[in-house]
Amino acid sequence: MNRIFSAVIEMSAASIFIIPIFSVYGKFAVKNIKRTFIYFLFGLYLSAMLALVGFPNVKEFSVDFTINIIPIVYIIPDFVNACLNVILFVPFGIFLSLLWKKFRNKKSLVKAALCMSAVIEIAQIFTYRTTDINDVITNTTGAAIGYLIAKTMTAKFTACSEFDSDSRDLYFIVGIVILVMVLLQPFISSILWSVLL
C-alpha cells in the first residue's frame, strides 16, 4: 500500500509537467480530444510505472552494478514481486495494442515490451536497484497478457481504428515522460513529500 501511495505522489508531481505539455501537443499535433485524453492516461500510467520501478533521476543518481543474468531461478523465491512485475506491465500491453495499429501484432508488441523493460533495467544500473533479467521476462509477460485482454475486449482489433495513432506519438509520449521523470519531477516530488510529511 505504501508503494501505491508513493507512486500516486510521484505521478502527481509528474502530471504538473505532463498535462500542459500533452495539452499543447494534442492541440497542435494530435487534434483529437479523445485521443489526447488517452495519451494523458498513458503518460500518467508510464510516470507511475517508472516511479514504482525506481527509474533514475538527477536528484538520486548513483552507479550500482548489481546485475542478475540468470533467468527464472530467482522468480520462485520472489514470487510476489514477479507477479507485481507482470501486473505492472499489463496496462502497457493494453495501451499499445489499442492505440497503435502496428502493436496489434503480438510479435511487435512483445518486442516493444522487451525494449521498454530493457531500458528500465539498464537504467537501474544508475540507481540502488538490481538490474534483473527476470524483471524483463515478467514485464514482457505482463504486456503480452495486456495484449490478450485488449484483443478480447474488442470484437475485432480493427474496431479500434478511431484510435489509430501515429508512431511519432508513441516516441513523443515515452520520451517526454522519461525526460520529466529524470529531470523535472524529482523537484516537485520533494515539495509534495515535504508538505505531506
Side-chain angles (χ1 to χ4, degrees), residues 79-91:
F79 188 70
V80 172
N81 189 53
C83 290
L84 291 173
N85 279 336
V86 169
I87 293 167
L88 187 63
F89 258 70
V90 168

Side-chain angles (χ1 to χ4, degrees), residues 19 154 186:
I19 290 173
T154 55

Side-chain angles (χ1 to χ4, degrees), residues 81-170:
N81 189 53
C83 290
L84 291 173
N85 279 336
V86 169
I87 293 167
L88 187 63
F89 258 70
V90 168
F92 187 78
I94 293 172
F95 275 115
L96 255 61
S97 47
L98 289 180
L99 286 170
W100 287 278
K101 191 174 184 178
K102 78 183 220 176
F103 297 116
R104 292 181 198 144
N105 171 303
K106 193 170 17 177
K107 199 179 278 186
S108 296
L109 182 106
V110 167
K111 282 182 190 172
L114 273 168
C115 288
M116 186 67 183
S117 187
V119 165
I120 289 169
E121 291 305 310
I122 291 167
Q124 285 181 342
I125 290 171
F126 304 102
T127 68
Y128 59 92
R129 308 283 297 253
T130 300
T131 299
D132 193 342
I133 188 68
N134 292 319
D135 290 351
V136 175
I137 294 166
T138 52
N139 292 344
T140 305
T141 301
I145 291 168
Y147 165 86
L148 294 173
I149 291 169
K151 191 171 184 178
T152 306
M153 280 173 24
T154 55
K156 295 178 182 171
F157 250 172
T158 52
C160 304
S161 60
E162 75 173 280
F163 290 120
D164 283 348
S165 299
D166 194 317
S167 291
R168 71 174 180 206
D169 293 345
L170 175 61

Side-chain angles (χ1 to χ4, degrees), residues 4 9 20 24-26 32 51 54 103 106 144 146 154 184 193:
I4 293 171
I9 298 299
V24 171
Y25 184 75
N32 179 318
F103 297 116
K106 193 170 17 177
T154 55
L184 303 171
W193 281 111

Side-chain angles (χ1 to χ4, degrees), residues 32-70:
N32 179 318
I33 293 170
K34 205 184 280 189
R35 192 180 303 159
T36 301
F37 178 71
I38 302 290
Y39 286 178
F40 281 138
L41 294 179
F42 184 43
L44 294 176
Y45 155 72
L46 285 175
S47 64
M49 179 183 73
L50 293 179
L52 283 167
V53 299
F55 204 73
N57 63 63
V58 292
K59 284 188 80 179
E60 298 171 0
F61 185 85
S62 64
V63 178
D64 182 2
F65 285 101
T66 308
I67 300 171
N68 172 37
I69 56 170
I70 303 168

Side-chain angles (χ1 to χ4, degrees), residues 18 22 42-44 46-48 50 172-182:
I18 288 171
F22 281 30
F42 184 43
L44 294 176
L46 285 175
S47 64
L50 293 179
F172 173 82
I173 293 167
V174 173
I176 289 296
V177 170
I178 287 174
L179 285 173
V180 165
M181 293 302 286
V182 171

